[in-house]
Amino acid sequence: MTLQQTIAQYLEYTGHKGFDIHAALIDCDGVLYDSMKLHTQAWVKLMKKNGIKCTRDEFYELEGMTGSEIIKMKFKTGAGKNITDDEAHALYGVKNRYFRELGEAPVMPGAKRVLEVLKEADVDRVLVTGSQQDTILERIEKDFPGLFGDVKVTGHDVRKGKPNPEPYLKAMAKAERKSNQCIVIENAPLGVQAAHAAGCFTIGVTTGPIPEKDLLKAGADLVYKNMDELAAALPSLLVALTVIKA
Ligand code: CA
C-alpha cells in the first residue's frame, strides 16, 4: 500500500476530512528505551518465584497492560489465585525491584532524532506510558532534555491499561487535541490497539520480537522497522499528513 492509500484508508475509517497534526503521543518502553528485554526478564523471575510457568514471549504480548492487570491475570490463569489490589501492588513493587537490579535500559537508537524532527516540525511531544516508575520519568528529563513538554500521561493517571484507549484519550484531553491532530508512536500490539481505538493515526515500530504483521493486525496505520527508520521517514510523512487539511 502506498502512503497516500494508507492515509486515505485512515480518513475513510475514521470519517475525518483531513489532518491538523499538532501532537505526537509517544509510548516509552520499547520506543524511547530498549527496556523490554529487561522487563520481560523481571516478569519471568517474579512468576517463577511464585511457581507460575511462563515464557518471556508472553510478556511481550502483554506489554501495555498495567502491572496490576498482568499480575492478576497471570496468578489467576497460572495458579488459580485471586489477587487483591494490595497484593498486586506489592508484587508489582517486587517486579520493579528485579527490573532495577538488571541495570539501566539503554536509550533506543533513533529515539532522540525522532523527537528532534517532531520539535523542528512544531509538533508537541506528549509522553504516554503505563509506567509508574518515577526513576524512568526522571531519566526522560536527563536523556531527552527540552524534548518533552509538561503534558504527559503516566501509570499514575490511568485506571485502565492498554488495549483500553483510556491512556490515549487522556493524553488527547490533557493536550487539548482531537484524534486527527495527533499521531501515536507505539511498539506493542496492545498499545497499537489502544491508540487505534482512540482514533489516532498510529505508527508502529518493530523494536522487539513482535513482527510487523501483528502490529498491522492490531490496527497500526504504518509500521517502521525501528526508530532510526521512522526518524528518516518522518519529515516526508508529516508533509504528507499536512497537505490534507482538516
Ligand atoms: Ca511500549
Side-chain angles (χ1 to χ4, degrees):
M1 206 186 286
T2 65
L3 181 56
Q4 299 314 321
Q5 286 169 327
T6 299
I7 291 171
Q9 183 180 271
Y10 168 87
L11 294 174
E12 195 183 332
Y13 74 69
T14 57
H16 286 307
K17 297 274 179 286
F19 297 90
D20 184 19
I21 301 296
H22 281 283
L25 313 181
I26 303 165
D27 174 49
C28 180
D29 288 298
V31 169
L32 297 176
Y33 292 98
D34 193 4
S35 48
M36 282 312 298
K37 283 185 206 113
L38 305 183
H39 278 297
T40 56
Q41 223 172 305
W43 275 123
V44 169
K45 185 172 176 180
L46 179 75
M47 294 302 153
K48 292 224 163 123
K49 293 253 182 199
N50 286 279
I52 296 168
K53 279 195 188 134
C54 60
T55 64
R56 276 173 79 176
D57 282 350
E58 288 173 48
F59 294 98
Y60 283 103
E61 297 288 342
L62 300 177
E63 185 193 349
M65 288 170 69
T66 67
S68 285
E69 285 169 340
I70 291 176
I71 287 163
K72 285 181 178 179
M73 194 191 79
K74 287 302 295 173
F75 275 69
K76 179 79 186 160
T77 57
K81 280 188 199 161
N82 287 312
I83 295 290
T84 66
D85 286 341
D86 285 347
E87 286 167 332
H89 184 77
L91 286 162
Y92 186 49
V94 175
K95 182 259 166 181
N96 282 337
R97 179 162 58 79
Y98 293 156
F99 174 74
R100 285 194 302 273
E101 285 168 2
L102 292 167
E104 269 202 346
V107 170
M108 186 66 80
K112 198 168 180 196
R113 187 70 202 127
V114 166
L115 297 174
E116 285 166 351
V117 170
L118 291 166
K119 189 173 184 180
E120 282 158 22
D122 212 15
V123 174
D124 292 341
R125 287 79 50 208
V126 177
L127 180 73
V128 183
T129 175
S131 177
Q132 294 189 357
Q133 293 179 79
D134 294 326
T135 48
I136 253 299
L137 303 174
E138 281 162 24
R139 262 197 83 185
I140 284 175
E141 295 297 317
K142 181 171 67 76
D143 294 329
F144 306 103
L147 291 172
F148 279 100
D150 293 334
V151 180
K152 58 173 172 278
V153 169
T154 73
H156 299 294
D157 299 300
V158 294
R159 223 162 28 84
K160 293 174 188 148
K162 302 164 186 174
N164 192 290
E166 188 188 7
Y168 286 109
L169 293 175
K170 208 149 238 182
M172 282 155 56
K174 277 196 178 187
E176 299 180 357
R177 298 296 180 192
K178 290 182 287 201
S179 56
N180 65 335
Q181 296 182 306
C182 302
I183 57 170
V184 171
I185 305 172
E186 261 289 352
N187 70 305
L190 298 183
V192 166
Q193 274 185 46
H196 178 73
C200 300
F201 189 88
T202 305
I203 299 167
V205 282
T206 49
T207 59
I210 296 199
E212 178 187 19
K213 67 172 175 44
D214 289 15
L215 296 187
L216 290 171
K217 203 172 146 199
D221 294 287
L222 284 174
V223 178
Y224 294 95
K225 279 193 183 66
N226 51 49
M227 291 293 276
D228 278 319
E229 200 186 276
L230 171 59
L234 199 48
S236 55
L237 173 61
L238 290 172
V239 169
L241 294 178
T242 305
V243 292
I244 307 162
K245 273 274 169 210

